[in-house]
Amino acid sequence: PFVVTENCIRCKYTDCVEVCPVDCFHEGPNFLVIDPVECIDCTLCEPECPANAIFPEDDVPAGQEHFIQLNAELSQVWPVITTRKDPPADAAEWDGKPDKLQFLER
Ligand code: SF4
Ligand code: F3S
């Protein structure tokens, strides 16, 4: 499956959700996750993310392996999102900032 990683936090552009053919994105307060059971590896979402936050599970950046488990866990509790919405007003400021995991809201 594909995995949403750290740079989505506080960026949450939601461009990714429109292209997913199986509606496997789930939305939290400031982050999205992919349900690894539903994802069919179609690859369509990866190039849609302006923050380059989506990776195949086997290609998650070093040090972000814990996001594989976070996607699996949070997709079970957060609701599905299928329609794009406006990102946070300060999304561009957070794009590329390091150590954003501490800001993840559940
Ligand atoms: Fe959805 Fe395809 Fe992305 Fe998986 S790879 S989350 S099926 S768009
Ligand atoms: Fe997040 Fe990128 Fe989607 S920032 S909401 S994974 S388009």
Side-chain angles (χ1 to χ4, degrees):
F2 278 61
V3 177
V4 184
T5 62
E6 185 161 19
N7 203 36
C8 176
I9 297 170
R10 289 194 166 179
C11 285
K12 197 184 173 190
Y13 286 112
T14 70
D15 300 71
C16 52
V17 307
E18 297 265 350
V19 298
C20 183
V22 293
D23 297 347
C24 56
F25 281 91
H26 293 250
E27 183 187 22
N30 63 5
F31 183 53
L32 256 56
V33 292
I34 291 168
D35 183 338
V37 177
E38 298 293 329
C39 176
I40 58 171
D41 286 325
C42 76
T43 77
L44 290 175
C45 58
E46 186 179 12
E48 291 300 316
C49 176
N52 297 314
I54 303 175
F55 294 87
E57 183 176 290
D58 293 342
D59 203 20
V60 166
Q64 295 200 42
E65 294 84 357
H66 48 286
F67 279 87
I68 297 170
Q69 174 57 29
L70 263 183
N71 276 244
E73 177 190 331
L74 296 173
S75 61
Q76 297 306 302
V77 292
W78 285 350
V80 169
I81 173 174
T82 58
T83 308
R84 191 182 177 282
K85 56 168 71 172
D86 287 339
D90 57 354
E93 287 169 44
W94 286 98
D95 190 355
K97 286 257 169 70
D99 303 324
K100 292 200 281 182
L101 182 56
Q102 60 187 311
F103 303 116
L104 176 66
E105 296 173 34
R106 294 176 179 243

